[in-house]
mmCIF file of all heavy atoms in Angstrom:
data_model
loop_
_atom_site.group_PDB
_atom_site.id
_atom_site.type_symbol
_atom_site.label_atom_id
_atom_site.label_comp_id
_atom_site.label_asym_id
_atom_site.label_seq_id
_atom_site.Cartn_x
_atom_site.Cartn_y
_atom_site.Cartn_z
ATOM 1 N N GLU A 10 112.494 125.893 94.450
ATOM 2 C CA GLU A 10 112.153 126.980 95.366
ATOM 3 C C GLU A 10 110.650 127.091 95.581
ATOM 4 O O GLU A 10 110.149 128.113 96.057
ATOM 5 C CB GLU A 10 112.700 128.306 94.823
ATOM 6 C CG GLU A 10 114.226 128.311 94.671
ATOM 7 C CD GLU A 10 114.741 129.608 94.073
ATOM 8 O OE1 GLU A 10 113.918 130.427 93.628
ATOM 9 O OE2 GLU A 10 115.969 129.794 94.061
ATOM 10 N N GLY A 11 109.911 126.025 95.256
ATOM 11 C CA GLY A 11 108.461 126.070 95.420
ATOM 12 C C GLY A 11 108.026 125.886 96.863
ATOM 13 O O GLY A 11 108.816 125.538 97.746
ATOM 14 N N ASP A 12 106.750 126.097 97.108
ATOM 15 C CA ASP A 12 106.199 126.007 98.461
ATOM 16 C C ASP A 12 105.895 124.572 98.874
ATOM 17 O O ASP A 12 105.789 124.282 100.067
ATOM 18 C CB ASP A 12 104.905 126.831 98.555
ATOM 19 C CG ASP A 12 105.156 128.324 98.392
ATOM 20 O OD1 ASP A 12 106.253 128.773 98.763
ATOM 21 O OD2 ASP A 12 104.259 129.019 97.878
ATOM 22 N N LEU A 13 105.739 123.677 97.905
ATOM 23 C CA LEU A 13 105.397 122.291 98.223
ATOM 24 C C LEU A 13 106.668 121.514 98.557
ATOM 25 O O LEU A 13 107.568 121.390 97.737
ATOM 26 C CB LEU A 13 104.682 121.647 97.029
ATOM 27 C CG LEU A 13 103.981 120.313 97.296
ATOM 28 C CD1 LEU A 13 102.730 120.532 98.149
ATOM 29 C CD2 LEU A 13 103.603 119.635 95.980
ATOM 30 N N GLU A 14 106.746 120.985 99.781
ATOM 31 C CA GLU A 14 107.929 120.245 100.219
ATOM 32 C C GLU A 14 107.834 118.795 99.729
ATOM 33 O O GLU A 14 106.932 118.056 100.126
ATOM 34 C CB GLU A 14 108.024 120.264 101.741
ATOM 35 C CG GLU A 14 108.274 121.638 102.335
ATOM 36 C CD GLU A 14 109.743 122.016 102.329
ATOM 37 O OE1 GLU A 14 110.579 121.126 102.107
ATOM 38 O OE2 GLU A 14 110.052 123.204 102.535
ATOM 39 N N VAL A 15 108.778 118.415 98.874
ATOM 40 C CA VAL A 15 108.814 117.052 98.337
ATOM 41 C C VAL A 15 110.036 116.343 98.900
ATOM 42 O O VAL A 15 111.159 116.821 98.741
ATOM 43 C CB VAL A 15 108.856 117.062 96.799
ATOM 44 C CG1 VAL A 15 109.021 115.635 96.270
ATOM 45 C CG2 VAL A 15 107.588 117.684 96.236
ATOM 46 N N GLY A 16 109.808 115.214 99.573
ATOM 47 C CA GLY A 16 110.901 114.437 100.142
ATOM 48 C C GLY A 16 111.124 113.154 99.356
ATOM 49 O O GLY A 16 110.204 112.344 99.197
ATOM 50 N N VAL A 17 112.329 112.985 98.826
ATOM 51 C CA VAL A 17 112.695 111.787 98.071
ATOM 52 C C VAL A 17 113.446 110.849 99.012
ATOM 53 O O VAL A 17 114.474 111.224 99.582
ATOM 54 C CB VAL A 17 113.585 112.141 96.862
ATOM 55 C CG1 VAL A 17 113.952 110.877 96.086
ATOM 56 C CG2 VAL A 17 112.900 113.151 95.968
ATOM 57 N N ILE A 18 112.940 109.649 99.212
ATOM 58 C CA ILE A 18 113.580 108.702 100.128
ATOM 59 C C ILE A 18 114.880 108.209 99.495
ATOM 60 O O ILE A 18 114.878 107.520 98.471
ATOM 61 C CB ILE A 18 112.657 107.513 100.440
ATOM 62 C CG1 ILE A 18 111.299 107.988 100.945
ATOM 63 C CG2 ILE A 18 113.323 106.593 101.466
ATOM 64 C CD1 ILE A 18 111.341 108.763 102.232
ATOM 65 N N ALA A 19 116.000 108.571 100.120
ATOM 66 C CA ALA A 19 117.325 108.240 99.561
ATOM 67 C C ALA A 19 117.839 106.954 100.170
ATOM 68 O O ALA A 19 118.846 106.917 100.880
ATOM 69 C CB ALA A 19 118.299 109.389 99.805
ATOM 70 N N TYR A 20 117.137 105.849 99.875
ATOM 71 C CA TYR A 20 117.567 104.565 100.414
ATOM 72 C C TYR A 20 118.771 104.009 99.652
ATOM 73 O O TYR A 20 119.124 104.525 98.581
ATOM 74 C CB TYR A 20 116.430 103.544 100.406
ATOM 75 C CG TYR A 20 115.399 103.649 99.307
ATOM 76 C CD1 TYR A 20 115.725 103.513 97.966
ATOM 77 C CD2 TYR A 20 114.068 103.868 99.632
ATOM 78 C CE1 TYR A 20 114.761 103.578 96.975
ATOM 79 C CE2 TYR A 20 113.091 103.936 98.653
ATOM 80 C CZ TYR A 20 113.441 103.790 97.331
ATOM 81 O OH TYR A 20 112.484 103.863 96.346
ATOM 82 N N PRO A 21 119.410 102.970 100.183
ATOM 83 C CA PRO A 21 120.532 102.364 99.459
ATOM 84 C C PRO A 21 120.075 101.872 98.076
ATOM 85 O O PRO A 21 118.947 101.415 97.905
ATOM 86 C CB PRO A 21 120.934 101.182 100.339
ATOM 87 C CG PRO A 21 120.421 101.513 101.696
ATOM 88 C CD PRO A 21 119.165 102.296 101.481
ATOM 89 N N TYR A 22 120.962 101.986 97.121
ATOM 90 C CA TYR A 22 120.718 101.522 95.750
ATOM 91 C C TYR A 22 119.595 102.295 95.071
ATOM 92 O O TYR A 22 118.944 101.804 94.150
ATOM 93 C CB TYR A 22 120.483 99.999 95.717
ATOM 94 C CG TYR A 22 121.567 99.275 96.458
ATOM 95 C CD1 TYR A 22 121.337 98.688 97.704
ATOM 96 C CD2 TYR A 22 122.856 99.238 95.949
ATOM 97 C CE1 TYR A 22 122.362 98.075 98.405
ATOM 98 C CE2 TYR A 22 123.885 98.627 96.641
ATOM 99 C CZ TYR A 22 123.630 98.048 97.878
ATOM 100 O OH TYR A 22 124.646 97.444 98.557
ATOM 101 N N MET A 23 119.345 103.535 95.547
ATOM 102 C CA MET A 23 118.433 104.440 94.852
ATOM 103 C C MET A 23 118.889 104.594 93.408
ATOM 104 O O MET A 23 120.062 104.825 93.139
ATOM 105 C CB MET A 23 118.427 105.791 95.558
ATOM 106 C CG MET A 23 117.608 106.869 94.872
ATOM 107 S SD MET A 23 117.557 108.433 95.791
ATOM 108 C CE MET A 23 119.288 108.906 95.797
ATOM 109 N N SER A 24 117.966 104.473 92.471
ATOM 110 C CA SER A 24 118.343 104.517 91.058
ATOM 111 C C SER A 24 117.477 105.501 90.286
ATOM 112 O O SER A 24 116.359 105.836 90.699
ATOM 113 C CB SER A 24 118.223 103.120 90.426
ATOM 114 O OG SER A 24 116.868 102.706 90.370
ATOM 115 N N ASN A 25 118.009 105.941 89.166
ATOM 116 C CA ASN A 25 117.279 106.782 88.208
ATOM 117 C C ASN A 25 116.688 108.044 88.841
ATOM 118 O O ASN A 25 115.652 108.544 88.400
ATOM 119 C CB ASN A 25 116.178 105.976 87.503
ATOM 120 C CG ASN A 25 116.759 104.902 86.610
ATOM 121 O OD1 ASN A 25 117.083 103.825 87.071
ATOM 122 N ND2 ASN A 25 116.929 105.196 85.337
ATOM 123 N N PHE A 26 117.387 108.575 89.865
ATOM 124 C CA PHE A 26 116.857 109.762 90.529
ATOM 125 C C PHE A 26 117.028 111.024 89.697
ATOM 126 O O PHE A 26 116.483 112.069 90.033
ATOM 127 C CB PHE A 26 117.496 109.949 91.910
ATOM 128 C CG PHE A 26 118.994 109.841 91.928
ATOM 129 C CD1 PHE A 26 119.789 110.931 91.630
ATOM 130 C CD2 PHE A 26 119.603 108.649 92.241
ATOM 131 C CE1 PHE A 26 121.163 110.839 91.652
ATOM 132 C CE2 PHE A 26 120.991 108.539 92.267
ATOM 133 C CZ PHE A 26 121.773 109.636 91.966
ATOM 134 N N ASN A 27 117.780 110.933 88.579
ATOM 135 C CA ASN A 27 117.895 112.108 87.703
ATOM 136 C C ASN A 27 116.552 112.512 87.108
ATOM 137 O O ASN A 27 116.345 113.672 86.773
ATOM 138 C CB ASN A 27 118.920 111.864 86.588
ATOM 139 C CG ASN A 27 118.847 110.450 86.058
ATOM 140 O OD1 ASN A 27 117.767 109.918 85.814
ATOM 141 N ND2 ASN A 27 119.995 109.822 85.906
ATOM 142 N N GLU A 28 115.619 111.554 86.979
ATOM 143 C CA GLU A 28 114.309 111.874 86.410
ATOM 144 C C GLU A 28 113.550 112.889 87.268
ATOM 145 O O GLU A 28 112.666 113.595 86.777
ATOM 146 C CB GLU A 28 113.476 110.609 86.266
ATOM 147 C CG GLU A 28 113.121 109.937 87.585
ATOM 148 C CD GLU A 28 112.382 108.626 87.391
ATOM 149 O OE1 GLU A 28 111.328 108.637 86.738
ATOM 150 O OE2 GLU A 28 112.869 107.596 87.902
ATOM 151 N N LEU A 29 113.908 112.973 88.550
ATOM 152 C CA LEU A 29 113.209 113.880 89.452
ATOM 153 C C LEU A 29 113.520 115.342 89.151
ATOM 154 O O LEU A 29 112.850 116.240 89.669
ATOM 155 C CB LEU A 29 113.565 113.557 90.898
ATOM 156 C CG LEU A 29 113.282 112.106 91.328
ATOM 157 C CD1 LEU A 29 113.747 111.867 92.742
ATOM 158 C CD2 LEU A 29 111.803 111.780 91.177
ATOM 159 N N PHE A 30 114.505 115.589 88.289
ATOM 160 C CA PHE A 30 114.840 116.962 87.942
ATOM 161 C C PHE A 30 113.812 117.592 87.012
ATOM 162 O O PHE A 30 113.933 118.748 86.629
ATOM 163 C CB PHE A 30 116.264 117.049 87.400
ATOM 164 C CG PHE A 30 117.275 117.143 88.512
ATOM 165 C CD1 PHE A 30 117.442 116.098 89.390
ATOM 166 C CD2 PHE A 30 118.003 118.294 88.727
ATOM 167 C CE1 PHE A 30 118.330 116.172 90.456
ATOM 168 C CE2 PHE A 30 118.892 118.395 89.784
ATOM 169 C CZ PHE A 30 119.059 117.333 90.648
ATOM 170 N N ALA A 31 112.764 116.838 86.680
ATOM 171 C CA ALA A 31 111.581 117.470 86.077
ATOM 172 C C ALA A 31 110.969 118.462 87.055
ATOM 173 O O ALA A 31 110.303 119.424 86.655
ATOM 174 C CB ALA A 31 110.550 116.402 85.712
ATOM 175 N N LEU A 32 111.217 118.253 88.352
ATOM 176 C CA LEU A 32 110.625 119.104 89.385
ATOM 177 C C LEU A 32 111.377 120.412 89.586
ATOM 178 O O LEU A 32 110.953 121.251 90.388
ATOM 179 C CB LEU A 32 110.570 118.342 90.712
ATOM 180 C CG LEU A 32 109.728 117.054 90.706
ATOM 181 C CD1 LEU A 32 109.835 116.348 92.045
ATOM 182 C CD2 LEU A 32 108.272 117.356 90.382
ATOM 183 N N VAL A 33 112.499 120.595 88.882
ATOM 184 C CA VAL A 33 113.201 121.883 88.954
ATOM 185 C C VAL A 33 112.250 123.004 88.530
ATOM 186 O O VAL A 33 112.247 124.086 89.125
ATOM 187 C CB VAL A 33 114.462 121.870 88.062
ATOM 188 C CG1 VAL A 33 115.026 123.270 87.905
ATOM 189 C CG2 VAL A 33 115.520 120.947 88.670
ATOM 190 N N LYS A 34 111.470 122.738 87.504
ATOM 191 C CA LYS A 34 110.500 123.721 87.015
ATOM 192 C C LYS A 34 109.110 123.323 87.508
ATOM 193 O O LYS A 34 108.293 122.786 86.764
ATOM 194 C CB LYS A 34 110.538 123.797 85.493
ATOM 195 C CG LYS A 34 111.887 124.256 84.942
ATOM 196 C CD LYS A 34 111.886 124.276 83.422
ATOM 197 C CE LYS A 34 113.221 124.740 82.871
ATOM 198 N NZ LYS A 34 113.248 124.746 81.379
ATOM 199 N N SER A 35 108.875 123.549 88.790
ATOM 200 C CA SER A 35 107.594 123.179 89.381
ATOM 201 C C SER A 35 107.345 124.034 90.616
ATOM 202 O O SER A 35 108.148 124.902 90.967
ATOM 203 C CB SER A 35 107.593 121.683 89.774
ATOM 204 O OG SER A 35 108.338 121.478 90.964
ATOM 205 N N ASN A 36 106.248 123.752 91.284
ATOM 206 C CA ASN A 36 105.916 124.461 92.520
ATOM 207 C C ASN A 36 106.506 123.767 93.741
ATOM 208 O O ASN A 36 106.036 123.964 94.866
ATOM 209 C CB ASN A 36 104.401 124.569 92.668
ATOM 210 C CG ASN A 36 103.728 123.209 92.788
ATOM 211 O OD1 ASN A 36 104.240 122.211 92.275
ATOM 212 N ND2 ASN A 36 102.581 123.159 93.442
ATOM 213 N N SER A 37 107.552 122.962 93.529
ATOM 214 C CA SER A 37 108.110 122.129 94.587
ATOM 215 C C SER A 37 109.485 122.595 95.025
ATOM 216 O O SER A 37 110.219 123.244 94.279
ATOM 217 C CB SER A 37 108.231 120.672 94.102
ATOM 218 O OG SER A 37 107.018 120.195 93.588
ATOM 219 N N SER A 38 109.852 122.231 96.242
ATOM 220 C CA SER A 38 111.239 122.243 96.681
ATOM 221 C C SER A 38 111.553 120.810 97.102
ATOM 222 O O SER A 38 110.790 120.193 97.851
ATOM 223 C CB SER A 38 111.455 123.221 97.839
ATOM 224 O OG SER A 38 110.648 122.905 98.938
ATOM 225 N N VAL A 39 112.655 120.278 96.594
ATOM 226 C CA VAL A 39 112.941 118.846 96.696
ATOM 227 C C VAL A 39 114.158 118.614 97.580
ATOM 228 O O VAL A 39 115.201 119.251 97.410
ATOM 229 C CB VAL A 39 113.188 118.245 95.296
ATOM 230 C CG1 VAL A 39 113.511 116.749 95.397
ATOM 231 C CG2 VAL A 39 111.964 118.461 94.403
ATOM 232 N N LYS A 40 114.004 117.670 98.510
ATOM 233 C CA LYS A 40 115.114 117.260 99.365
ATOM 234 C C LYS A 40 115.215 115.739 99.331
ATOM 235 O O LYS A 40 114.202 115.037 99.224
ATOM 236 C CB LYS A 40 114.913 117.738 100.797
ATOM 237 C CG LYS A 40 114.973 119.250 100.974
ATOM 238 C CD LYS A 40 114.800 119.642 102.433
ATOM 239 C CE LYS A 40 114.992 121.148 102.625
ATOM 240 N NZ LYS A 40 113.989 121.932 101.883
ATOM 241 N N PHE A 41 116.439 115.245 99.434
ATOM 242 C CA PHE A 41 116.671 113.809 99.514
ATOM 243 C C PHE A 41 116.727 113.432 100.987
ATOM 244 O O PHE A 41 117.570 113.913 101.738
ATOM 245 C CB PHE A 41 117.940 113.435 98.765
ATOM 246 C CG PHE A 41 117.779 113.549 97.278
ATOM 247 C CD1 PHE A 41 117.942 114.773 96.637
ATOM 248 C CD2 PHE A 41 117.413 112.457 96.515
ATOM 249 C CE1 PHE A 41 117.762 114.900 95.272
ATOM 250 C CE2 PHE A 41 117.228 112.567 95.144
ATOM 251 C CZ PHE A 41 117.399 113.789 94.523
ATOM 252 N N VAL A 42 115.804 112.572 101.403
ATOM 253 C CA VAL A 42 115.507 112.342 102.813
ATOM 254 C C VAL A 42 116.186 111.075 103.323
ATOM 255 O O VAL A 42 116.036 109.996 102.746
ATOM 256 C CB VAL A 42 113.981 112.238 103.014
ATOM 257 C CG1 VAL A 42 113.631 111.775 104.413
ATOM 258 C CG2 VAL A 42 113.323 113.575 102.702
ATOM 259 N N ARG A 43 116.913 111.231 104.438
ATOM 260 C CA ARG A 43 117.550 110.085 105.097
ATOM 261 C C ARG A 43 117.242 110.034 106.591
ATOM 262 O O ARG A 43 117.761 109.174 107.296
ATOM 263 C CB ARG A 43 119.069 110.134 104.886
ATOM 264 C CG ARG A 43 119.481 110.029 103.424
ATOM 265 C CD ARG A 43 121.001 110.099 103.257
ATOM 266 N NE ARG A 43 121.403 109.920 101.865
ATOM 267 C CZ ARG A 43 121.508 110.902 100.980
ATOM 268 N NH1 ARG A 43 121.232 112.150 101.345
ATOM 269 N NH2 ARG A 43 121.884 110.656 99.748
ATOM 270 N N ASP A 44 116.428 110.975 107.086
ATOM 271 C CA ASP A 44 116.107 110.988 108.510
ATOM 272 C C ASP A 44 114.620 111.251 108.701
ATOM 273 O O ASP A 44 113.936 111.818 107.834
ATOM 274 C CB ASP A 44 116.940 112.042 109.249
ATOM 275 C CG ASP A 44 116.620 113.460 108.797
ATOM 276 O OD1 ASP A 44 115.693 114.066 109.366
ATOM 277 O OD2 ASP A 44 117.290 113.960 107.865
ATOM 278 N N LEU A 45 114.111 110.831 109.849
ATOM 279 C CA LEU A 45 112.680 110.871 110.115
ATOM 280 C C LEU A 45 112.144 112.301 110.182
ATOM 281 O O LEU A 45 111.037 112.580 109.723
ATOM 282 C CB LEU A 45 112.392 110.133 111.431
ATOM 283 C CG LEU A 45 110.950 109.716 111.706
ATOM 284 C CD1 LEU A 45 110.413 108.830 110.583
ATOM 285 C CD2 LEU A 45 110.873 108.975 113.038
ATOM 286 N N GLY A 46 112.936 113.218 110.735
ATOM 287 C CA GLY A 46 112.480 114.601 110.851
ATOM 288 C C GLY A 46 112.196 115.223 109.493
ATOM 289 O O GLY A 46 111.172 115.884 109.296
ATOM 290 N N SER A 47 113.121 115.006 108.541
ATOM 291 C CA SER A 47 112.928 115.547 107.189
ATOM 292 C C SER A 47 111.717 114.921 106.518
ATOM 293 O O SER A 47 110.967 115.594 105.799
ATOM 294 C CB SER A 47 114.181 115.304 106.355
ATOM 295 O OG SER A 47 115.295 115.983 106.881
ATOM 296 N N LEU A 48 111.516 113.626 106.756
ATOM 297 C CA LEU A 48 110.359 112.948 106.171
ATOM 298 C C LEU A 48 109.061 113.547 106.702
ATOM 299 O O LEU A 48 108.123 113.807 105.938
ATOM 300 C CB LEU A 48 110.430 111.452 106.482
ATOM 301 C CG LEU A 48 109.249 110.616 106.002
ATOM 302 C CD1 LEU A 48 109.116 110.666 104.483
ATOM 303 C CD2 LEU A 48 109.395 109.171 106.480
ATOM 304 N N LYS A 49 108.988 113.790 107.996
ATOM 305 C CA LYS A 49 107.762 114.316 108.594
ATOM 306 C C LYS A 49 107.432 115.708 108.060
ATOM 307 O O LYS A 49 106.261 116.090 107.994
ATOM 308 C CB LYS A 49 107.900 114.345 110.118
ATOM 309 C CG LYS A 49 107.868 112.959 110.755
ATOM 310 C CD LYS A 49 108.036 113.040 112.269
ATOM 311 C CE LYS A 49 107.953 111.666 112.910
ATOM 312 N NZ LYS A 49 108.152 111.718 114.389
ATOM 313 N N ARG A 50 108.454 116.473 107.678
ATOM 314 C CA ARG A 50 108.216 117.829 107.160
ATOM 315 C C ARG A 50 107.781 117.833 105.695
ATOM 316 O O ARG A 50 107.382 118.872 105.168
ATOM 317 C CB ARG A 50 109.484 118.670 107.325
ATOM 318 C CG ARG A 50 109.795 119.025 108.773
ATOM 319 C CD ARG A 50 110.902 120.067 108.871
ATOM 320 N NE ARG A 50 112.187 119.533 108.444
ATOM 321 C CZ ARG A 50 113.041 118.902 109.241
ATOM 322 N NH1 ARG A 50 112.733 118.703 110.518
ATOM 323 N NH2 ARG A 50 114.203 118.475 108.792
ATOM 324 N N SER A 51 107.849 116.697 105.029
ATOM 325 C CA SER A 51 107.522 116.622 103.603
ATOM 326 C C SER A 51 106.008 116.607 103.388
ATOM 327 O O SER A 51 105.276 115.912 104.092
ATOM 328 C CB SER A 51 108.135 115.359 102.985
ATOM 329 O OG SER A 51 109.539 115.352 103.139
ATOM 330 N N ASP A 52 105.566 117.373 102.385
ATOM 331 C CA ASP A 52 104.158 117.341 101.995
ATOM 332 C C ASP A 52 103.861 116.146 101.099
ATOM 333 O O ASP A 52 102.782 115.546 101.175
ATOM 334 C CB ASP A 52 103.791 118.629 101.245
ATOM 335 C CG ASP A 52 103.989 119.875 102.090
ATOM 336 O OD1 ASP A 52 103.522 119.885 103.248
ATOM 337 O OD2 ASP A 52 104.632 120.830 101.604
ATOM 338 N N VAL A 53 104.807 115.846 100.225
ATOM 339 C CA VAL A 53 104.687 114.713 99.301
ATOM 340 C C VAL A 53 105.962 113.885 99.407
ATOM 341 O O VAL A 53 107.061 114.442 99.493
ATOM 342 C CB VAL A 53 104.489 115.192 97.841
ATOM 343 C CG1 VAL A 53 104.394 114.001 96.898
ATOM 344 C CG2 VAL A 53 103.244 116.071 97.724
#
């Protein structure tokens, strides 16, 4: 629920994405990105 928009590129054969749950307790909001619009809205 943080203000920093983090976009994770969800390409085929994406692996070990569970490690990104370190960001649950952060200033971030995390989305798994599969389209250009979502990517453009990402800060990181």
Side-chain angles (χ1 to χ4, degrees):
E10 299 177 351
D12 294 330
L13 193 72
E14 294 277 346
V15 175
V17 180
I18 306 298
Y20 31 62
Y22 310 107
M23 175 177 62
S24 67
N25 293 84
F26 48 85
N27 39 45
E28 65 184 303
L29 304 176
F30 276 65
L32 299 176
V33 168
K34 298 178 180 179
S35 76
N36 63 332
S37 307
S38 59
V39 179
K40 293 181 175 62
F41 289 84
V42 171
R43 297 179 177 88
D44 64 88
L45 197 57
S47 297
L48 177 62
K49 288 179 178 178
R50 289 191 292 272
S51 301
D52 299 312
V53 179

